[in-house]
Amino acid sequence: MTIGILGGTGDFGQGLAERLRRLGEGVLVGSRSAREGIIANAEAAARSEVVFLSVPPGGVEATARDLADELAGKIVVSVASPVVFRKGRPTVDAGPRSLAELAQEAAPEARIVAGFHTVAARALFRDDPLDEDVLLSGDDADAKAVVAALAERLVTGRAVDTGRLETARWLETLTALLLNINRNYRSETGVRITGL
Amino acid sequence: MTIGILGGTGDFGQGLAERLRRLGEGVLVGSRSAREGIIANAEAAARSEVVFLSVPPGGVEATARDLADELAGKIVVSVASPVVFRKGRPTVDAGPRSLAELAQEAAPEARIVAGFHTVAARALFRDDPLDEDVLLSGDDADAKAVVAALAERLVTGRAVDTGRLETARWLETLTALLLNINRNYRSETGVRITGL
């Protein structure tokens, strides 16, 4: 399976690419402008079966719209959260709908799955196993199952289905909560769901 | 220490009262109208050192305003989440600020701590240990420490400080995420923070 990472030059994208390569997956890293070792987002999208939309929150909707043709029929993982920093503190700047829902509207034929919002970019860069779950939301059950199988190879925990794509709203804001915890404890936290 | 539970006739309040009594704490259960074994919210607030504001989300702000005098100087734990059910699915109906922030504004001298949003009411009713963390936010560090110490006697996990009261916004919406997971898995889930 070829996995494309759009916006793959960011911290999260780089860490994810490295982890996926270690699993033996073929990874194509895309960016807005192609350069050595990095192809254009459009090419990465066109050549991949699963595409991580790992661009900054302000670019999610526009990237999905610009690449709607390339993303049509593809499994597209929306990992961004609408987090901004005010006086050094992580907070949320969002409308009522999630970035994942906006991406789905902008690329209607993409099979959007939202997830990985609780996985710290810095934790991806480490070498140790990721002791956490991955939370996934989406309206396409088959697409969600493919991403779940991949997620469960990346973490020691499990892939937890949070339900329809709408639930991405509270997945995305959960990132702000974890970033505040990270700030208090100087750590890179994740989440496990207990009681399943 | 005497602990008051306002709105203590609801599921969460009843379960919490039972767990606290098993710990040997004195518990006063309050309700809007006093009846056998249950006192009025105002009396429960006046006679307690720590007060759980366990009323339905629509009643948080009004209760805090009505009891602002009784709650002045008290440690007040806001546990409510702005969750509503649409077609059987849990979703959020909230403004930009959290119920905990609204309660703080309505009762300015209360020492508001937000927390326990990830602890399922039904799990409180069971007899087994609560295998989860308790997430707490608040602007009063001493009040937060008192609630943290109590929380760590209630669960096998730890009390995690999410930061300022503002972070209650994403704590409160996390309830909607967990309720959707509970719906998918027919379970009563909680949360543990990994990587601390």
Side-chain angles (χ1 to χ4, degrees):
Chain A
M1 189 163 71
T2 302
I3 300 170
I5 304 182
L6 311 192
T9 56
D11 283 351
F12 185 92
Q14 283 186 55
L16 181 65
E18 179 57 28
R19 292 259 178 186
L20 288 170
R21 286 191 179 114
R22 273 187 245 156
L23 293 177
E25 298 291 342
V27 177
L28 292 174
V29 172
S31 185
R32 272 183 299 185
S33 50
R35 54 188 183 278
E36 199 185 335
I38 295 163
I39 59 181
N41 279 333
E43 186 184 347
R47 288 172 52 193
S48 302
E49 282 102 48
V50 173
V51 179
F52 281 83
L53 199 51
S54 180
V55 301
V60 170
E61 195 173 0
T63 303
R65 185 178 301 111
D66 292 346
L67 302 182
D69 288 343
E70 288 84 351
L71 296 175
K74 303 286 172 75
I75 296 172
V76 177
V77 189
S78 177
V79 303
S81 296
V83 171
V84 294
F85 288 80
R86 291 213 180 98
K87 296 181 183 173
R89 289 193 172 83
T91 187
V92 168
D93 181 15
R97 292 194 303 153
S98 60
L99 295 170
E101 289 169 283
L102 298 177
Q104 181 68 82
E105 192 171 272
E109 292 175 70
R111 305 166 69 191
I112 302 274
V113 175
F116 292 86
H117 307 83
T118 54
V119 178
R122 281 192 209 164
L124 285 170
F125 268 108
R126 296 190 318 243
D127 280 333
D128 56 328
L130 295 165
D131 168 31
E132 58 186 303
D133 291 339
V134 172
L135 312 185
L136 300 176
S137 76
D139 293 330
D140 183 322
D142 294 334
K144 203 155 46 173
V146 170
V147 180
L150 188 64
E152 292 193 338
R153 293 169 60 208
L154 283 164
V155 298
T156 58
R158 67 177 106 192
V160 178
D161 183 359
T162 68
R164 300 203 305 176
L165 193 63
E166 181 191 283
T167 62
R169 297 172 189 184
W170 316 306
L171 258 182
E172 291 180 3
T173 56
L174 180 48
T175 304
L177 196 70
L178 293 182
L179 289 175
N180 274 280
I181 294 172
N182 291 351
R183 185 176 181 277
N184 294 342
Y185 292 86
R186 301 181 183 280
S187 56
E188 294 130 26
T189 55
V191 161
R192 272 189 190 262
I193 303 299
T194 66
L196 281 177
Chain B
M1 188 163 71
T2 301
I3 300 170
I5 304 182
L6 311 191
T9 56
D11 283 349
F12 185 92
Q14 283 185 57
L16 181 65
E18 179 58 28
R19 292 259 178 186
L20 288 170
R21 285 190 179 115
R22 272 187 244 157
L23 293 177
E25 298 292 341
V27 177
L28 293 174
V29 173
S31 184
R32 272 183 299 184
S33 51
R35 55 188 185 276
E36 201 185 334
I38 294 163
I39 59 180
N41 280 334
E43 187 184 346
R47 289 171 53 193
S48 303
E49 281 102 49
V50 172
V51 179
F52 281 83
L53 199 51
S54 179
V55 301
V60 170
E61 196 173 359
T63 303
R65 185 178 300 111
D66 292 346
L67 302 181
D69 288 344
E70 289 84 350
L71 296 175
K74 304 287 173 75
I75 295 172
V76 177
V77 189
S78 177
V79 304
S81 296
V83 171
V84 295
F85 287 80
R86 292 214 180 97
K87 296 182 183 172
R89 289 195 172 81
T91 187
V92 168
D93 182 14
R97 292 195 303 152
S98 61
L99 295 171
E101 288 168 284
L102 298 177
Q104 182 67 82
E105 192 171 271
E109 291 177 70
R111 305 166 70 190
I112 303 275
V113 176
F116 291 87
H117 306 83
T118 54
V119 179
R122 282 192 208 165
L124 286 169
F125 268 109
R126 295 190 319 242
D127 281 332
D128 54 329
L130 295 165
D131 169 31
E132 57 187 303
D133 291 339
V134 172
L135 312 186
L136 300 176
S137 77
D139 294 330
D140 183 321
D142 293 335
K144 203 155 48 173
V146 170
V147 180
L150 188 63
E152 292 194 337
R153 293 169 59 209
L154 284 164
V155 298
T156 57
R158 67 178 106 191
V160 178
D161 183 358
T162 67
R164 301 204 303 178
L165 194 62
E166 180 191 283
T167 62
R169 297 172 189 186
W170 316 306
L171 258 182
E172 292 181 0
T173 56
L174 181 48
T175 304
L177 196 71
L178 292 182
L179 289 175
N180 274 281
I181 294 172
N182 291 351
R183 185 176 183 277
N184 294 342
Y185 291 86
R186 301 181 183 280
S187 56
E188 293 130 26
T189 55
V191 161
R192 272 189 189 263
I193 303 298
T194 65
L196 281 177

